Amino acid sequence: ITFSPVDNTMYACWDNISPNTSKLLTINRATGAATTVGTMLTNSPDFNTLDFHPGTGQLWSLGAPRGGPDDKEYFAFTVNPLTGAATQIVAVTPAGANALNVGVGASGFDTDGTLYIAHGDGQGPSGPPAATHNPHVLLAFNDVATGVYRVVNYLSGIPSNWFIAGL
């Protein structure tokens, strides 16, 4: 869920496995009623995040294709809030040795436009030795349009089998 910086409209994305489509929704906060804005993509990835950039107002989403050999590779998409159409911009890649291989659970832009991602679903990227490995990681994209992220740090105090769902 995210809110438009222009008119405070609440947006959410909905993925349906069969048929394989993703929809952009608006949600009425008074009634809870969801209204479909439009189809983000057909034969679509799982869209895991939805955030407005604070400087540009552009709506962004990260998604991973369903099934196949690349189902752990993520892509950054822009989303048109008027039509719901998503446009793939770039593959997400690490700025270093760690790979974003599973579990984008939550995201949020800070006021400077850095997109932070809470990553982890009990597996996480390569990191400290297994005996001390915490699978939850905070990642940052200084410019999400480049697709290049950096590992900020490993998150502590979160059980390894918990999924981070909001930032």
Side-chain angles (χ1 to χ4, degrees):
I1 292 176
T2 191
F3 295 88
S4 167
V6 175
D7 61 9
N8 210 25
T9 298
M10 181 188 289
Y11 287 91
C13 55
W14 172 72
D15 293 324
N16 190 11
I17 295 172
S18 180
N20 191 8
T21 57
S22 297
K23 306 275 186 182
L24 182 67
L25 310 171
T26 57
I27 300 174
N28 181 312
R29 288 180 276 181
T31 66
T35 302
T36 299
V37 174
T39 299
M40 294 172 76
L41 288 173
T42 55
N43 297 320
S44 65
D46 287 323
F47 286 101
N48 297 87
T49 67
L50 196 61
D51 297 287
F52 281 95
H53 188 283
T56 66
Q58 178 65 60
L59 184 57
W60 285 90
S61 185
L62 295 179
R66 290 190 182 105
D70 295 327
D71 67 349
K72 300 299 183 195
E73 182 178 17
Y74 281 81
F75 296 89
F77 295 82
T78 57
V79 180
N80 183 322
L82 301 177
T83 67
T87 303
Q88 183 176 312
I89 300 301
V90 67
V92 172
T93 58
N98 294 330
L100 181 61
N101 56 358
V102 291
V104 171
S107 68
F109 281 103
D110 71 8
T111 57
D112 295 328
T114 298
L115 180 63
Y116 287 90
I117 303 292
H119 168 249
D121 63 359
Q123 297 179 43
S126 303
T132 60
H133 179 68
N134 183 327
H136 300 290
V137 179
L138 185 63
L139 308 172
F141 295 83
N142 290 338
D143 180 0
V144 70
T146 67
V148 177
Y149 69 86
R150 61 185 166 81
V151 174
V152 176
N153 212 332
Y154 289 85
L155 301 175
S156 61
I158 302 168
S160 64
N161 61 342
W162 286 17
F163 187 82
I164 300 170
L167 272 184

